[in-house]
Amino acid sequence: MAESVRARLQPTQVLAGLVGLAFLALGVIGFVHTGFNDFAGQGHTMLWGVFAINPLHNVIHLLFGFVGLLMALTSATSRLFGWVVFAGYGALLVWGLMLVGLTSTNPVSELGNPLNLNVADNWLHLGIALLGLVIAIVPLRRKVIETEPEPVQVAPMQEPVTDPVPAQQPQTVAATDETVARQEEPKPRGLHRLSRLRSKGTTAH
């Protein structure tokens, strides 16, 4: 039986693709609100009145969106994308927590706040980091193996083979014919008389 494996999308690929599309949409919507001026500034309008963004923040979203769509092509790269999202947005979460003063020290205070992060962004980044972890560890779906019946090959009909009948050779009756010829051969008259005289003489004695 021939077997064929039917390719199916894995859950990690579906999640990676959806997250990639969400990042792209978020980046485009962000540029609609901020435009391209004051690229790393903090004076832009809030997205949906909650999230602080700027053009540099939007570029980060677009970058993750393109990478997510490309890496969703295979299950292995989708898992890798999940780990990248988990590590990247985990780092942004820690940075945002230091910026809002939830940590006693801020070792990167000299960098300022180029992504214009706020408390709402930190909560969003926490959720995105956990989603990346889910993409990285979601179980794989089993592959479906389909069996295809092999075509039945019918042997061609063979005509019965008959042995040729040997030709009967005519029996030679040369010896018999010769014997009959000798028996039928007439004897000379003189020999008949001589044989009669001999037979009479033998009788007289």
Side-chain angles (χ1 to χ4, degrees):
M1 301 291 286
E3 294 184 354
S4 61
V5 180
R6 186 174 64 185
R8 300 177 63 180
L9 285 177
Q10 297 293 338
T12 181
Q13 293 177 260
V14 176
L15 290 176
L18 292 177
V19 170
L21 290 175
F23 273 125
L24 288 177
L26 193 59
V28 172
I29 294 173
F31 273 114
V32 171
H33 282 76
T34 64
F36 295 91
N37 297 325
D38 195 11
F39 205 76
Q42 301 179 10
H44 296 280
T45 59
M46 306 285 283
L47 180 62
W48 299 316
V50 178
F51 303 104
I53 56 174
N54 59 17
L56 181 59
H57 202 154
N58 297 332
V59 170
I60 298 297
H61 290 160
L62 291 177
L63 180 62
F64 272 91
F66 283 117
V67 172
L69 290 181
L70 290 177
M71 299 185 75
L73 296 177
T74 65
S75 59
T77 53
S78 297
R79 289 181 180 277
L80 180 59
F81 174 70
W83 288 117
V84 170
V85 171
F86 175 72
Y89 276 85
L92 283 179
L93 173 63
V94 174
W95 189 8
L97 292 177
M98 290 187 294
L99 288 175
V100 298
L102 291 181
T103 59
S104 57
T105 59
N106 184 5
V108 292
S109 58
E110 65 276 4
L111 296 178
N113 189 7
L115 295 178
N116 195 19
L117 302 176
N118 63 0
V119 176
D121 289 328
N122 292 335
W123 285 107
L124 177 62
H125 294 164
L126 173 61
I128 294 175
L130 294 177
L131 182 58
L133 181 62
V134 171
I135 296 173
I137 65 175
V138 65
L140 293 177
R141 181 182 298 173
R142 293 182 179 180
K143 295 181 179 180
V144 177
I145 301 178
E146 297 179 346
T147 58
E148 300 177 356
E150 296 181 355
V152 179
Q153 297 181 355
V154 180
M157 297 292 294
Q158 296 182 354
E159 297 181 358
V161 179
T162 57
D163 296 334
V165 179
Q168 296 182 356
Q169 298 180 356
Q171 298 180 356
T172 58
V173 290
T176 306
D177 294 343
E178 185 179 355
T179 305
V180 173
R182 288 180 180 178
Q183 292 177 356
E184 294 180 354
E185 183 179 356
K187 295 181 180 181
R189 293 181 179 180
L191 292 177
H192 282 288
R193 292 178 180 178
L194 182 59
S195 59
R196 287 178 182 177
L197 291 175
R198 287 180 180 177
S199 60
K200 289 181 179 181
T202 304
T203 304
H205 288 293

